[in-house]
Structure formats: C-alpha cells, structure tokens
C-alpha cells in the first residue's frame, strides 16, 4: 500500500472561494447577507475524480492524507470568529470528500488559529474533527500572522493544552504555514520552506519532547533546509549541550518526501533515518509542470523514492509503515473503508 | 591557492563590544561620554594568529575574504546615525586586520543599513571601503529589521542606486542576515538559512538581472534550502514562465560551501554547476565543535569538497577560480600582498 501523507484540497469547486469572498466582504459591510456554501456532491466527485484521484490512479498511490488548502487557511484574515467559521467550513468539506471516497482519502483538519489568540482555543475543533468526523491528524500553522511571525513559537507553553489534546487523541500534526502577506517571502518558494526550517530549530532548542514524549510532528517539504544542513544541526545541538538529534528529536519529528528532484530525495534518504521519512507528494500543489529532465511532473516523488538507494524494507516503511505508525487512526480508517463500514 | 570567501571577525578583542555597549547606552543616556575604540595592533595580531590564521594554517587555506561579524551588524539597533558610526568602526577594524595580514585576508564591508532607510544611503560607505580601504565586496542584509522582515525585498527599486554603484565598482555582495530579534527564529539555525532561501526566491521572481546583467550575489550557507529543493525551484520558474534557472539566475548568483556534512556538499556539487560554487567555511563561526563522525570540526569543509565527486578542474574553480572571477578586485589584492606592496 502506498500512502501519501500530504495532500491539500487545492481544486475545490468555486463555491468555496465564493463563500470565503463573501465572508471577508461582510467584515467590511456587515449588511451583506451571510454566505452559504453551495457545493454539490457531484461537483466534489467531478473535481476529485478529474484531479487527485486521476493522479492517484496514474501514479499508483492508494491513500492520501487530505487537508484543506494550506494557502487558503489564511489565519490572519479577520478576527477569531472568522477563522472559526472558515475552518469549520473547510474541515466539513474535507469530511465530505472522505465520505465520498473513504478508500482514497483520510482527513486532516486545519485549525481555527488567529493572531494573538491562544492555541488552546483550537482544542475544540481538533476534538470535533477527530471524534466526530474521523480525522487522523491536524495541520498547525507556525505563523498565524501569515508572514510576519508575531505569535509565539510552537514550543511556547501556550501550546501545551493543545498538545495535551493531541496526545490524548493520539493524532500527529503536520507543521504547515499558510499564505505569505509579506512581500519578502514568496509563498511556496520561501515561506513554506522557511516555516519548516524554523519549526525544526524551535524543537531543537526546546524541551518540548521531554514534556510530551508521545507528541509527533511531520515537517513537510522534506524538512525545509534541515536535511541539507544536517551537519549544521548536529553541530548546533552539540555546541548547545543538547542530546544527539536521534535521541533528542527523532522519536517525535518526521519529514515528508515533498522534494522535487532525485538528488534531493537521495540526500534525504541518506541522512535521515528511514523510520523518520513519510512518503508524500503534495499533489496537486505548489509545482504542477512536467520536469523536462524526467518527463514526469515535478511532484511525482514516488519514482524518486523507488530509485533511491534504500532497501526494500526501508522503502516500505516510507511508503506506508511509518504513516500507519505516526497516524495511528489511519489503519482503522482504512480497515473500515475496505470493509464498506464507512462512513 | 585555496580561497575561503566567507569569514567573519567573530573573535574581535573585547574593546569592540565595549565600544558598541557604550554607543547603545548613549541612546538611552546621551550624557554618557562618547566611546573610543581601544584595540591595539598587538591585540589584533594575537586573536587573529590564535584563531583564524591558526585554522588557516591547519586546514591549508591561503586567503579568507573577511568581514565584520554578521550577527553583530545588528542593523535594527538605534537610528541610522548609530548604524553609520558602528559600520565605519567595524569596517575600519577589518581594514586594520587586512593591513596587518594582507596575504591572509581581503576585506568585505558591512553596510550602514537601517530599518526604513533607503539602501541608497549605503552607497557612500561602499565607495569608501572599496576605493579607500581596498575592500573587494560587501555584505547586504536582506532584513535590516533583524527578524521581522519589514523592509522591502532586495529586488525593490530602492536598491537600484546601490546596485549601480556595485556594478560601477565591480564588486559582488554576499547576502547575509544579521541577528534575529524574533523569538521564532533562532539566529544561525533558522534566520540565516531562511534569509538565504528568501533572497534566492526574490531573485527568481524578479527581473533584477535583466536590469543589472553584471550584478553578482553570493548566497551563503550553501544557498539555504535552495540546492536541496532545486527541482522545486526549476519547477516554480517553469510554472511562472521564467527562463530556466541557469539562464535566469546562474550568471549572477553563486553559492558558498558552508554546508557542514559530506552528504550536503555532495548534493550541492551534484545539482549546482561548479562555476557557481565558491569554497567557504565561515570559520570561526556558527558551529565550533568537532564532528564525532569525522573527527574534524564541523566547519572544516575543505576535505568535504576534496572528497566530492567533482573533477580536479571543477574543484580548482571552487577553491579559487570562481572567487577570483566573482571578486575581480581580489587578484590585484593578492598580487600586491605577495609583492609586498600592501598596504
């Protein structure tokens, strides 16, 4: 079984954006009528079949861990109430996709984060998504200000109530920024990778995993700059008197394979233990063209992992074993889908 | 000849920090006496001989392109006048080091950047350092707010007068952030690499090098996340209708080898053309310990480049040829030093 741990609903029907546009317009003109989401199941089937599922079939990917579009979370927009409403709409839409295709998708939720608002306020939506909607994890935005980084780090104690709930529910989080409102940071070309690198170093300098030994994070996009600078991080940890990275972080921190060339995948699989790598493509996402060097889409990372120097056993961990371990709610979801017991 | 293009004066005698402390204290209490820098030539010889030059001898590095401590630039501190005074002090100190050891060091200046101040205001100090002090390049801080990224990108037209002067003087810039005042960003573990990644993407999305075909930038720390994600950047450029990266950026953008493990150097030299890589170690800098995997200091990158799969000709480019090409004022400096004509 091939599990892709990182897919966003980037091809949602236009009704979703129409809802969002009206929602944000009402912040300026409250006299406008409240929006209603108008997306039919046929529309969902159409876009999923034509896009994500078509690609899954073409590439041989069985299951995608599926979440709302990262750039669309846009946590900086409006007050907390706006974020709560939008988050519920987006998560409910993911739930509908999963309900239509339980054998193709498992749900991961966005959170109703908002600048200056305690992460504890996201506990309720996490609980709703996991216990009521059957989701298997969540996405945490390390920068709800969307490019200005004015909220506390992920290791701040204000996160602790949320982490307690994650541990209680036994779900991991992917650390994933949203859009960038800062002209310095291109979204998918800079802000995404900076967010990954930043989060890893926050973890490195903290005692978070002493406080939460069961807490698990997936850092996407291959970990940003981290594997390329693995020696730097080993050295920094050593200079700071921290334990070796394997002991200090690698029980809790995992990297995905959204690295869009063979040399990058080869580096990732050379320096990061196979137990800490989860297959992913972020399809359909940041890069959509065909690489003239391979004749395949840039984000078709499966052949790259297959072509790496890893053993068959290690590849199996990356393609499915690690995802089932990091997302313990995934196996019951798959079993239920296969038995027809879903939703 | 082995040229290290990236060294900072991280071991300056305590008199430098004493000056800075008093300078900043006077912002709060202007009644304090103005500071004077009190560092003797013997003190400079002592620290350079015991540190940088000792390491150069031990590692077989002939020449270091030497600039003020990056973290110490601290452009956010005080108003522009503070930055101007501090920058002149730091650059003059580099000039004294170069004058003492012209066969060991060539000077690169910091700039009197200040948040909200036009980069055009840095033209005079660049001209002074190049024409009066014999410096061969400069360091540009892409975030003078030191972790909050509130100033315009490097591709903003406010930079153009400065770039005109760089082209006129035929000097390159290294893009190097300073310290981080943002609790989200660890300095050398996140802010540095994020700055590198951010700058590259700013260049990718701009027409800067159409406007300035002769402008040259060195992105340090191996280019941050860029080589690891080279496929992502090729794909993003392609999706945006930009020319291939080789044509679009690689006449103007270069990467150093401050990547502190063999696998990282192997990736860098595999994906980035040898013409675009400059040897560097950032010695004595961010990581100071000994790597138990090699028995050498983490920042001893020379054996890693030697152990890479490159041809002898390509290694020669990386160790000296490219530096002499990117920093055209370096060869005359070396010739003068060798003939005893310096300072």
């Amino acid at each position: 079984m091939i599990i892709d741990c990182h897919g966003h609903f980037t091809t949602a029907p236009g009704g979703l954006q129409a809802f969002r546009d009206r929602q944000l317009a009402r912040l300026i003109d409250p006299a406008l009528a409240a929006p209603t989401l108008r997306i039919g199941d046929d529309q969902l089937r159409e876009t999923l079949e034509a896009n994500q599922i078509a690609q899954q079939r073409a590439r041989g990917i069985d299951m995608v861990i599926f979440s709302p579009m990262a750039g669309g979370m846009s946590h900086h927009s409006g007050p907390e109430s706006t974020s709560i409403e939008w988050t519920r709409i987006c998560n409910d839409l993911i739930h509908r996709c999963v309900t239509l295709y339980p054998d193709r998708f498992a749900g991961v939720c966005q959170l109703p984060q908002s600048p200056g608002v305690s992460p504890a306020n996201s506990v309720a939506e996490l609980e709703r998504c996991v216990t009521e909607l059957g989701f298997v994890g969540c996405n945490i935005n390390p920068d709800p200000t969307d490019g200005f980084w004015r909220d506390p780090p992920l290791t701040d104690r204000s996160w602790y109530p949320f982490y307690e709930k994650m541990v209680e529910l036994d779900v991991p989080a992917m650390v994933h920024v949203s859009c960038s409102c800062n002209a310095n940071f291109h979204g998918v070309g800079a802000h995404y990778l900076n967010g990954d690198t930043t989060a890893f170093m926050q973890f490195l300098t903290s005692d978070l995993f002493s406080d939460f030994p069961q807490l698990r994070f997936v850092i996407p996009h291959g970990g940003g700059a981290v594997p390329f600078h693995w020696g730097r991080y080993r050295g920094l940890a050593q200079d700071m008197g921290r334990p070796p990275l394997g002991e200090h972080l690698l029980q809790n921190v995992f990297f995905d394979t959204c690295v869009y060339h063979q040399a990058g995948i080869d580096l990732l699989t050379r320096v990061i233990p196979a137990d800490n790598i989860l297959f992913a493509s972020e399809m359909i996402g940041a890069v959509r063209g065909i690489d003239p060097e391979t004749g395949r889409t840039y984000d078709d990372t499966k052949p790259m992992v297959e072509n790496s120097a890893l053993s068959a056993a290690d590849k199996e961990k990356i393609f499915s074993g690690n995802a089932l371990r990091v997302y313990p709610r995934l196996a019951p979801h798959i079993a239920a889908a296969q038995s027809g017991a879903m939703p």
Side-chain angles (χ1 to χ4, degrees), chain A:
Chain A
M1 166 166 273
I2 308 290
I3 301 167
D4 182 334
C5 79
H6 187 179
H8 302 293
F9 195 13
T10 50
T11 64
L16 185 64
Q17 190 58 46
F19 179 97
R20 179 64 157 171
D21 291 344
R22 171 60 65 96
Q23 186 202 30
L24 297 181
R26 289 184 81 225
L27 294 173
I28 297 161
D29 181 1
L32 289 172
T36 308
L37 184 68
R38 298 181 190 281
I39 296 176
D41 280 354
D42 285 351
Q43 285 180 286
L44 289 179
R45 283 193 198 93
E46 191 177 334
T47 184
L48 291 170
E49 290 276 357
N51 292 290
Q52 285 81 2
I53 293 174
Q55 288 296 331
Q56 283 181 253
R57 289 197 176 106
R59 301 182 187 186
I61 296 171
D62 300 293
M63 169 64 63
V64 171
I65 298 179
F66 202 51
S67 60
M69 187 165 75
M73 299 188 298
S74 185
H75 288 116
H76 75 281
S77 298
E80 185 188 13
S81 57
T82 298
S83 185
I84 290 172
E85 180 186 46
W86 174 238
T87 294
R88 290 183 64 111
I89 288 284
C90 290
N91 290 337
D92 287 348
L93 193 62
I94 293 295
H95 180 239
R96 288 176 60 197
C97 295
V98 173
T99 303
L100 288 171
Y101 299 98
D103 56 330
R104 285 292 184 188
F105 300 109
V108 153
C109 61
Q110 74 178 55
L111 300 174
Q113 296 176 247
S114 193
V117 171
S118 171
N121 292 20
S122 288
V123 166
E125 179 65 3
L126 176 68
E127 188 146 39
R128 182 182 82 92
C129 289
V130 174
T131 63
E132 297 179 24
L133 307 186
F135 283 20
V136 302
C138 61
N139 291 337
I140 286 178
N141 181 353
D143 173 28
T145 66
D146 293 335
F148 293 102
W149 295 91
R150 299 307 295 251
D151 271 15
L154 295 176
T155 50
D156 189 79
R157 294 191 77 87
S158 61
W159 275 101
Y160 277 30
F162 188 83
Y163 295 153
E164 285 167 12
K165 183 57 69 175
M166 280 175 60
V167 170
E168 179 195 319
L169 296 171
D170 205 12
V171 293
M174 178 172 280
V175 179
H176 203 305
V177 295
S178 184
C179 53
S180 165
C181 307
N182 187 325
N184 283 286
F185 303 133
H186 186 274
V188 298
H191 190 46
Y192 275 32
L193 304 178
N194 292 351
D196 306 332
T197 306
T198 299
F200 183 82
M201 194 63 195
Q202 290 177 2
F203 297 147
L204 191 155
T205 51
S206 80
D207 295 313
L208 183 60
F209 303 120
S210 299
D211 292 342
F212 293 100
Q214 305 303 318
L215 194 61
R216 298 180 302 282
F217 290 104
V218 178
I219 303 186
H221 322 109
V226 171
F228 180 45
H229 288 281
W230 197 240
R232 186 179 192 87
Y233 290 102
R234 288 197 293 108
L236 286 171
Q238 182 176 316
D239 285 358
M240 292 173 185
R242 296 269 155 186
L245 296 181
E247 179 186 329
H248 183 43
L249 297 178
L250 293 185
Q251 306 304 308
N252 308 85
V253 176
F254 303 83
F255 302 94
D256 82 8
T257 66
C258 292
V259 178
Y260 296 156
H261 62 147
Q262 187 67 49
I265 292 290
D266 289 346
L267 173 88
L268 177 70
T269 53
R270 178 174 168 189
V271 302
I272 304 298
D275 284 336
N276 291 78
I277 303 174
L278 276 65
F279 172 69
S281 64
E282 204 169 2
M283 170 272 292
I284 294 165
V287 182
R288 303 193 179 194
I290 291 175
D291 185 348
E293 293 185 9
T294 64
R296 296 186 299 269
T297 51
Y298 284 97
D299 64 6
D300 187 5
T301 54
K302 183 163 160 272
M304 302 177 202
V305 175
E306 286 165 345
N307 290 338
S308 73
L310 292 175
S311 69
D314 281 346
K315 289 177 188 169
E316 192 281 336
K317 288 179 183 176
I318 292 173
F319 280 128
S320 64
N322 294 338
L324 293 167
R325 183 164 53 89
V326 172
Y327 295 79
R329 290 174 179 268
L330 184 57
H333 171 91
I334 292 170
Q338 288 176 343
S339 73
M342 294 279 294

